[in-house]
Amino acid sequence: MAHKEASNVEDPSGSVENEKIEVAGQHVEVVGVPGISSTDISKAIKSGPFRQWLDYMKGSSGILTLGGSGGGRCSLRKILIQSIDMFGPRVGFVKFKADIIDLKTGAKLPGIVFARGGAVGILMLLECEGVKYAVLTEQARVPVGRTIMELPAGMLDDDAGDFVGTAAREVEEETGIHIKASDLIDLTGLLDESTGRKMFPSPGGSDEEITLFLYRCHVKKEVIDSLQGQDTGLRDHGELIRVHVVPYDTLWRMSPDSKVLAAIALYETALRLNLLPNSPNAPDLSQF
């Protein structure tokens, strides 16, 4: 993974590279800090996360739309590209600062953005001998400096927006269980349309939007035992994953992962309101 990072993220005066883009009928200058080339800027503004951010900015609830900022109109004046991370040939992350002005007050909106795009999380519930279990993955998370027990999850691998396919693939990579996309229920799809039917775990600093899925099936105890403590993940991608299977009744207190806590809330509410199928949507695997 290649990484270009700003040597001075506060002062763009040394920037020599720039490009202009059209946003909501206005020409907006995009510049890079020292060390960010014109090629880097071009890659950044063509990347999926950046284009998704612009689409949200111009959308019905967007900041550049009348009413998008507490009833006020805002203007995007300039964008400063501070760093990009390449995942092979694809832009994975873009960090930038957007210069946005509230035209009514003249005040600047907080504009530092860590753009990483869409991701998925899967609440996996395995029923065995009358007990419901949840599958968690324990991973080393460098940003928080510790391991975290969390839902099987992953980023979208491309700009196609295949959330369902990504979810099915992540389950197999992280747990070894092969499932079909049709086995999944979109829990965030139950949200009101105005929400975009995604979860934003940290909207104050990141654009990350997560689709939460539910997977359920019956299994034999041998399946539970084989999963418990299994080491999985794509080692060549730096994934060091250990699988844990915990009783669902204790799941809410077993993980600080926001995806876990949000999935429980959605699942329990959907059950209470009878919004889910009466029986597990996945095939009964207990016979195998």
Side-chain angles (χ1 to χ4, degrees):
M1 179 175 69
H3 179 62
K4 293 236 180 182
E5 188 167 353
S7 57
N8 185 339
V9 298
E10 296 297 332
D11 182 12
S13 59
S15 301
V16 294
E17 306 295 348
N18 68 84
E19 195 165 327
K20 287 189 180 291
I21 59 174
E22 184 174 328
V23 182
Q26 301 293 321
H27 290 288
V28 178
E29 185 180 22
V30 183
V31 300
V33 297
I36 297 293
S37 68
S38 59
T39 300
D40 296 327
I41 292 175
S42 180
K43 287 180 179 179
I45 63 179
K46 292 177 182 176
S47 68
F50 187 85
R51 288 187 285 110
Q52 178 67 73
W53 176 77
L54 284 180
D55 287 343
Y56 276 133
M57 289 283 286
K58 298 179 292 183
S60 60
S61 298
I63 291 174
L64 300 183
T65 304
L66 183 63
S69 178
R73 185 184 295 275
C74 293
S75 174
L76 174 61
R77 302 294 177 81
K78 181 185 288 188
I79 297 171
L80 173 66
I81 305 295
Q82 298 175 322
S83 67
I84 64 172
D85 287 276
M86 301 298 296
F87 294 0
R90 180 175 66 89
V91 174
F93 302 146
V94 181
K95 184 174 182 291
F96 60 91
K97 187 173 183 179
D99 189 1
I100 301 174
I101 305 296
D102 183 328
L103 297 180
K104 183 176 182 180
T105 65
K108 280 190 177 182
L109 276 64
I112 296 176
V113 180
F114 175 52
R116 54 174 293 159
V120 299
I122 307 93
L123 176 61
M124 296 186 64
L125 300 181
L126 308 180
E127 298 186 24
C128 176
E129 300 177 357
V131 179
K132 187 185 300 180
Y133 296 90
V135 178
L136 296 175
T137 59
E138 182 181 12
Q139 302 192 54
R141 294 303 193 185
V142 174
V144 294
R146 53 168 289 189
T147 59
I148 296 287
M149 298 259 282
E150 55 191 90
L151 293 185
M155 295 173 55
L156 295 186
D157 290 335
D158 52 42
D159 298 335
D162 183 11
F163 287 88
V164 178
T166 298
R169 184 169 59 253
E170 289 296 331
V171 166
E172 185 166 7
E173 289 177 359
E174 297 192 359
T175 70
I177 297 177
H178 176 72
I179 66 174
K180 297 178 296 186
S182 58
D183 293 336
L184 297 167
I185 294 175
D186 184 354
L187 290 174
T188 39
L190 300 174
L191 296 173
D192 188 82
E193 185 178 2
S194 64
T195 66
R197 295 189 171 122
K198 309 289 182 189
M199 183 189 77
F200 292 89
S202 187
S206 175
D207 73 321
E208 182 180 28
E209 58 177 20
I210 298 177
T211 300
L212 294 173
F213 292 98
L214 170 67
Y215 171 80
R216 298 182 294 172
C217 71
H218 291 284
V219 299
K220 285 184 174 181
K221 190 173 186 303
E222 288 83 353
V223 174
I224 302 293
D225 294 339
S226 66
L227 286 172
Q228 193 71 265
Q230 181 181 150
D231 291 326
T232 62
L234 301 177
R235 299 301 168 128
D236 57 338
H237 289 193
E239 292 183 345
L240 305 175
I241 298 173
R242 176 159 292 178
V243 178
H244 295 267
V245 183
V246 301
Y248 174 74
D249 289 346
T250 66
L251 178 62
W252 67 274
R253 61 186 303 179
M254 297 296 293
S255 170
D257 177 28
S258 63
K259 299 184 297 298
V260 168
L261 303 176
I264 291 172
L266 288 170
Y267 173 64
E268 290 292 336
T269 302
L271 277 181
R272 178 168 53 85
L273 298 178
N274 293 318
L275 299 177
L276 298 175
N278 292 326
S279 58
N281 52 298
D284 188 331
L285 304 180
S286 60
Q287 57 185 313
F288 298 110

